[in-house]
Amino acid sequence: MALTAKRIGQRVGLALLAAAALLGAGSAALAQDTKAAPAAAPAKDFKDERALALLKAMGDTLAGARTLSFKVRGIVPTPSPTGQYVSLFAASRVVMQRPDKLFVEARGDLFPSDSYYDGKTVTVIGADRKFYARREAAGGAIEALMQSVQPGSDATAPFLDLLVADPYAFLTKDLASALWVGQSTIGGVKTEHLAFTAPGLDWEIWIGAADKLPRLMVVAYRSSERQPTFTVEFSEWKLNATVPAKTFVAAIPPGAAKLEFKQMGAPK
């Protein structure tokens, strides 16, 4: 799966609210549905066709939208100088227009900023408008942006894996297992709870039963000693709404200092 531990570490601070444990309803549904899984099949090799079909429906819904906008919020576990993970709040508003335009308004503790991608350049402007960074990002589509190093990417882009041209193919690459857990209600929305494994990590996603849109996503490392868990909640989805062209135009603030693009946490 493309959502490798390295990719998650670079791009995600998959964060937020409802992490903790499997919801009671989901656990009950899993217990009730145990008969559906072949008893002799190793869990890591089991791929529930129902889970894959639901994930594909979500991918098709996202891929079929000419424009997308939504909000994400979360609590990002971040290593401190003492070695303890501390929890930092992150929230973003995301607007995308296919194939090559993206705006991210990131707020919270990690990297308050506005990020613009117009298919040619990435521009990040600090929320206090005192600095900016800009670099070329040739290639056009969102996939090209994912190959670029972004300042504060851990905080601002926990959702890029869902915005590629074919999210289903991207998310299921190198998939080790797939499981339908059950149904849960997230923020008043009835959802399908799915669980997957891939090399180095486990991940779960809650998808709206009616609208086929992601509502909650949890990613847990299995490749390090501490194995932090990142969670992100999605809300206020709008598909195919008209987006003003100026949304993706970055205006450099007068007097703002230019900074180098450097990924947070990257070795010097």
Side-chain angles (χ1 to χ4, degrees):
M1 152 176 178
L3 213 69
T4 61
K6 180 179 180 182
R7 184 182 299 277
I8 292 294
Q10 291 175 338
R11 193 161 25 261
V12 200
L14 278 178
L16 149 80
L17 292 190
L22 295 177
L23 299 179
S27 299
L30 177 58
Q32 294 167 3
D33 207 52
T34 302
K35 295 179 182 179
K44 66 178 181 179
D45 295 328
F46 178 65
K47 294 183 180 177
D48 187 336
E49 292 299 325
R50 175 171 37 187
L52 294 174
L54 288 166
L55 187 67
K56 188 174 190 309
M58 180 202 74
D60 291 346
T61 299
L62 295 173
R66 183 180 59 83
T67 65
L68 290 168
S69 68
F70 56 93
K71 290 185 177 181
V72 293
R73 63 176 180 171
I75 296 175
V76 183
T78 305
S80 71
T82 65
Q84 175 187 359
Y85 277 90
V86 296
S87 298
L88 300 180
F89 177 75
S92 298
R93 179 172 67 92
V94 183
V95 184
M96 186 191 75
Q97 180 174 298
R98 296 190 187 279
D100 61 0
K101 291 180 173 56
L102 181 69
F103 169 72
V104 180
E105 179 186 77
R107 297 296 182 264
D109 302 328
L110 278 163
F111 193 77
S113 61
D114 294 331
S115 300
Y116 304 80
Y117 177 56
D118 61 7
K120 297 180 180 179
T121 61
V122 182
T123 304
V124 179
I125 301 174
D128 59 7
R129 301 183 64 78
K130 293 181 180 179
F131 72 87
Y132 76 98
R134 173 172 282 174
R135 65 167 290 173
E136 297 298 316
I142 297 298
E143 285 85 344
L145 175 61
M146 295 173 67
Q147 304 304 317
S148 301
V149 176
Q150 301 178 69
S153 59
D154 283 2
T156 62
F159 38 76
L160 287 179
D161 289 337
L162 301 178
L163 302 183
V164 298
D166 188 345
Y168 177 76
F170 196 82
L171 292 169
T172 55
K173 184 180 179 182
D174 300 327
L175 198 67
S177 71
L179 178 69
W180 178 79
V181 180
Q183 292 186 324
S184 299
T185 299
I186 306 295
V189 177
K190 184 178 180 180
T191 66
E192 304 285 355
H193 179 186
L194 315 178
F196 303 90
T197 63
L201 58 92
D202 301 327
W203 63 284
E204 302 171 67
I205 190 166
W206 287 253
I207 300 170
D211 61 18
K212 314 302 181 188
L213 294 171
R215 297 291 170 174
L216 186 69
M217 193 171 182
V218 177
V219 178
Y221 287 104
R222 289 187 287 103
S223 57
S224 63
E225 193 174 308
R226 295 216 166 191
Q227 302 187 13
T229 298
F230 301 93
T231 314
V232 63
E233 183 185 52
F234 301 84
S235 64
E236 299 187 31
W237 283 96
K238 293 181 182 179
L239 275 61
N240 295 315
T242 300
V243 178
K246 65 180 181 181
T247 302
F248 308 105
V249 178
I252 305 301
K258 185 174 183 179
L259 302 181
E260 292 292 326
F261 255 85
K262 178 177 280 191
Q263 184 177 328
M264 290 176 66
K268 298 180 179 179

